[in-house]
Amino acid sequence: MPINFKNVFYTYSEKTPFRHEALKGVSLTINDGSFTCIVGHTGCGKSTLIQQLNGLLIPTSGSVDVNEYHIEKKNKSLKKLHDLRKEVGVVFQFSEYQLFEETIEDDVAFGPMNFGMKKEDVLKIAHECLKTVGIPEDYYKKSPFEISGGEKRRVAIAGILALQPKTLVLDEPTAGLDPRGTKYILDLFKKLNEQGTTIVFVTHDINIVYEYATDVIVMNEGKVVLQTVPEKLFAEDVEQYSLETPLIQKTVNLLQAKGMKLDVSKIRSLEDLVKEIAEARK
Amino acid sequence: MKLIEVNNLVFSYDKKINVVDGVSFSVESGKYISIIGHNGSGKSTIAKLLIGLLEPSKDSIKAFGLDLNAKNLGAIRSRIGIVFQNPDNQFVGSTVRDDIAFGLENRRVPHEQMDEIINKFAEKVRMSEFLDKEPENLSGGQKQRVAIAGILAMNPDLIIFDEATSMLDPKGKREVRETIDLMRKENPNLSIISITHDLEEAFSSDEVIVLKKGKIVGHDKPENILENPGIFVESGVDLPFKSKFVNLLSQVGIEIKNDESLERIVEELCQ
């Protein structure tokens, strides 16, 4: 079942001088099995939005539907939220700061343990998830504080994967990673997506949207200004939404302006673009 | 004049693996140097060694003609500023004004002079209208600019940026980059060491140092370092978009003669 937001408002510190309205009537749909990217400037409400997805924040008004769970202010039940959190895993920004256990495997096992699974079963899952994110076996008993930043990030992601969520929500998971680390985890999310996990991906990097997204949501000042597919978004001038034009798109635009005929529908990566250029020049 | 001389610098956290493994380079007055490399290549460790947050191997770092050791540390630190990655971890004041004042207070600058200095540097980073704002009301880019103002107020000879833009959105990154350009224009003697993953940023500097597993595998002007793209692939950093594009074209038999700009490449492709 898709995720549906119906006219969601969210206000921080209501009835105080610090009152801040972060979401102002958000309605959107996140399709099952999609790779949905959410883009927009710092402070546009992206992070507030994703915290509604597993009930960390409850809408001030309006409602959120995630599978069979209906989240609404008058209808919040802790038991239900507990179950919902098994289905929707959220990886926060700079998730490596959340590592705390003595060993890497215990850190990954922490989530499922709290959902009442047995330690042996949990460790099996933890090892599988660490393998998925490419952490070698001789690391399992190491302290999570001894490894590099990129590795820590992957351990934190494994900790969420261990909950085996149907929907994986990621807040800027590639920020601060080197290009190789970035590519590694992007390809990992793509693979998980192909295996059926819905990916909700918050990013500032418009190039990621170009290469990976199936759906895209553009936010500005607490509102959804556009929900569409990347092909349609990039066919327009994206700078009107204060987004930058992806470098591949910029090249395509320049080539087309010079009269080169390109089949844009086939271009998702730089490799595709070069292939199309070679084709067009024949 | 050489501000910093690093000579065969070695550092290990666990006494087993050398995170920094025989690094030598120097920084001339007024130069802007970028250090790039994969996560764990030793970039940030070098930054911490340069300001003595970590203890360097003996006689391996000379700053402003002084050996970097416990005795000279105070004198050296007073001339180097550092901006860290996380904007929230380095905002110490309760308002922008207090934050810029922090360093001045530590230097016992008389109160009467402080306001003038604060106003001057807040203006330089274009934060004048935010002087009484609290950090909660600022964006990441604005917080980083306040950090820069606080450092500029100390009148340093060298500023180190340790991935100072990596947590910012594209707008914040641009703001910080513009601030760096501006401050170099105003003070041509100011030296900068920037540790970054952002290649467009690295290639706007005077020299690029490429690190791999604690060793320098390339050190040259940006335009020269690109002549050997192998270095980048080996050391786990990406090539700039333009170079990647030209390389891929060459693989399918399209040779580009002039890769000065994307526009020029496109022009050649459409001939």
Side-chain angles (χ1 to χ4, degrees):
Chain A
M1 264 164 55
I3 295 169
N4 269 313
F5 277 61
K6 279 192 207 107
N7 204 22
V8 171
F9 284 78
Y10 188 83
T11 309
Y12 288 100
S13 312
E14 183 91 274
K15 290 173 195 154
T16 75
F18 304 105
R19 181 179 190 279
H20 173 64
E21 202 172 29
L23 296 180
K24 304 169 185 171
V26 167
S27 297
L28 58 86
T29 304
I30 295 169
N31 290 313
D32 258 357
S34 68
F35 193 122
T36 300
C37 281
I38 303 177
V39 293
H41 277 300
T42 309
C44 71
K46 300 187 300 278
S47 300
T48 308
L49 183 113
I50 60 169
Q51 289 181 69
Q52 319 272 338
L53 286 171
N54 70 349
L56 279 176
L57 296 177
I58 308 289
T60 308
S61 71
S63 68
V64 178
D65 284 285
V66 182
N67 302 332
E68 70 265 37
Y69 304 95
H70 181 73
I71 310 165
E72 202 177 351
K73 203 170 187 182
K74 59 173 199 261
N75 180 29
K76 66 172 171 191
S77 126
L78 280 176
K79 172 79 185 78
K80 267 193 178 169
L81 289 179
H82 182 268
D83 291 341
L84 167 66
R85 285 177 191 148
K86 264 191 256 180
E87 303 213 4
V88 181
V90 182
V91 180
F92 288 104
Q93 216 175 353
F94 292 89
S95 45
E96 60 272 26
Y97 293 138
Q98 298 160 27
L99 302 177
F100 69 99
E101 273 283 7
E102 276 177 34
T103 66
I104 287 173
E105 61 177 17
D106 282 350
D107 208 288
V108 176
F110 180 79
M113 290 279 284
N114 275 283
F115 283 115
M117 289 175 72
K118 276 204 217 96
K119 177 105 188 203
E120 309 91 78
D121 299 341
V122 171
L123 279 181
K124 215 180 279 168
I125 296 173
H127 293 167
E128 259 169 50
C129 294
L130 283 166
K131 209 165 144 196
T132 309
V133 298
I135 297 290
E137 238 184 285
D138 55 335
Y139 274 49
Y140 295 176
K141 302 268 184 221
K142 271 195 189 183
S143 156
F145 302 104
E146 279 174 21
I147 56 180
S148 82
E151 289 163 345
K152 280 185 198 165
R153 181 81 54 89
R154 282 189 267 147
V155 170
I157 291 168
I160 302 296
L161 292 181
L163 301 173
Q164 299 170 305
K166 288 186 198 133
T167 303
L168 187 59
V169 184
L170 304 141
D171 193 354
E172 295 250 17
T174 60
L177 292 185
D178 63 25
R180 193 182 283 174
T182 300
K183 178 103 177 53
Y184 187 93
I185 68 166
L186 281 171
D187 288 342
L188 167 71
F189 299 141
K190 194 176 173 188
K191 201 170 94 196
L192 289 168
N193 182 240
E194 282 162 2
Q195 290 164 358
T197 310
T198 305
I199 306 280
V200 181
F201 196 105
V202 174
T203 182
H204 288 308
D205 188 341
I206 199 74
N207 296 300
I208 292 176
V209 182
Y210 193 90
E211 294 192 37
Y212 291 88
T214 62
D215 294 79
V216 55
I217 293 167
V218 183
M219 292 193 64
N220 190 25
E221 292 186 3
K223 288 184 180 145
V224 171
V225 289
L226 189 70
Q227 172 161 26
T228 184
V229 290
E231 295 85 321
K232 282 203 180 129
L233 171 67
F234 296 123
E236 291 184 63
D237 173 18
V238 298
E239 279 160 33
Q240 62 176 308
Y241 304 111
S242 358
L243 299 173
E244 323 223 317
T245 309
L247 290 165
I248 300 175
Q249 184 65 43
K250 204 170 143 194
T251 316
V252 168
N253 293 347
L254 285 169
L255 285 164
Q256 286 181 327
K258 290 261 171 207
M260 190 178 277
K261 297 261 178 295
L262 295 168
D263 184 352
V264 207
S265 67
K266 287 193 184 146
I267 303 172
R268 281 310 282 274
S269 66
L270 193 54
E271 285 79 3
D272 297 343
L273 171 61
V274 168
K275 217 187 277 169
E276 283 302 305
I277 291 173
E279 202 60 37
R281 280 164 56 102
K282 268 181 193 159
Chain B
M1 196 188 85
K2 280 183 183 151
L3 284 190
I4 304 277
E5 282 170 84
V6 177
N7 190 11
N8 196 24
L9 178 63
V10 176
F11 183 81
S12 173
Y13 287 99
D14 59 3
K15 303 240 157 57
K16 279 183 242 156
I17 300 157
N18 288 340
V19 185
V20 178
D21 197 6
V23 164
S24 304
F25 66 93
S26 59
V27 184
E28 302 258 345
S29 174
K31 286 276 187 236
Y32 176 6
I33 294 177
S34 300
I35 304 181
I36 59 176
H38 57 92
N39 286 121
S41 61
K43 303 184 299 288
S44 296
T45 306
I46 291 179
K48 288 183 190 134
L49 287 163
L50 284 176
I51 51 161
L53 281 178
L54 295 171
E55 202 181 332
S57 41
K58 203 164 171 281
D59 297 330
S60 55
I61 299 180
K62 242 189 176 148
F64 318 108
L66 299 169
D67 280 321
L68 181 62
N69 55 31
K71 196 177 111 231
N72 294 332
L73 194 57
I76 291 172
R77 275 199 190 148
S78 69
R79 300 175 67 178
I80 305 182
I82 184 163
V83 183
F84 293 103
Q85 181 183 41
N86 191 334
D88 292 315
N89 290 357
Q90 53 193 327
F91 206 105
V92 290
S94 57
T95 63
V96 169
R97 188 189 303 279
D98 285 357
D99 197 70
I100 301 177
F102 182 77
L104 297 169
E105 283 168 347
N106 280 302
R107 290 229 180 135
R108 299 186 209 156
V109 172
H111 196 75
E112 309 78 65
Q113 293 170 23
M114 232 186 254
D115 261 346
E116 194 189 325
I117 300 175
I118 291 170
N119 289 337
K120 179 174 153 196
F121 290 100
E123 199 184 309
K124 282 202 198 303
V125 299
R126 287 169 296 156
M127 288 296 290
S128 297
E129 47 186 313
F130 297 94
L131 275 173
D132 295 307
K133 293 272 185 210
E134 291 163 354
E136 297 87 80
N137 303 318
L138 304 176
S139 72
Q142 289 171 334
K143 282 181 210 163
Q144 292 299 66
R145 270 149 59 200
V146 174
I148 295 173
I151 286 168
L152 286 176
M154 305 278 95
N155 194 23
D157 296 299
L158 168 71
I159 303 185
I160 302 172
F161 291 88
D162 187 3
E163 296 196 43
T165 62
S166 75
M167 287 177 85
L168 308 180
D169 66 8
K171 188 166 160 247
K173 284 189 177 64
R174 209 163 40 234
E175 288 168 357
V176 171
R177 269 205 298 264
E178 283 166 6
T179 308
I180 295 177
D181 287 344
L182 199 75
M183 96 207 170
R184 293 189 71 214
K185 219 176 270 167
E186 288 204 354
N187 178 4
N189 290 324
L190 180 68
S191 305
I192 289 171
I193 297 179
S194 169
I195 288 158
T196 181
H197 285 310
D198 187 335
L199 285 166
E200 312 297 330
E201 190 179 309
F203 282 86
S204 66
S205 61
D206 298 321
E207 293 170 33
V208 181
I209 293 176
V210 188
L211 273 184
K212 183 193 172 188
K213 290 191 180 155
K215 289 191 164 73
I216 293 183
V217 292
H219 180 178
D220 214 327
K221 290 187 181 135
E223 58 271 28
N224 295 342
I225 212 151
L226 279 175
E227 281 171 14
N228 187 359
I231 291 178
F232 288 83
V233 183
E234 261 178 57
S235 49
V237 292
D238 218 357
L239 279 169
F241 179 80
K242 226 172 45 181
S243 318
K244 264 198 287 191
F245 188 32
V246 171
N247 288 350
L248 281 170
L249 284 168
S250 154
Q251 281 173 24
V252 297
I254 306 171
E255 298 300 336
I256 300 293
K257 284 182 218 86
N258 187 338
D259 61 358
E260 205 174 276
S261 68
L262 198 54
E263 285 75 9
R264 292 301 284 270
I265 298 172
V266 165
E267 232 162 75
E268 247 184 86
L269 282 171
C270 293
Q271 265 165 21

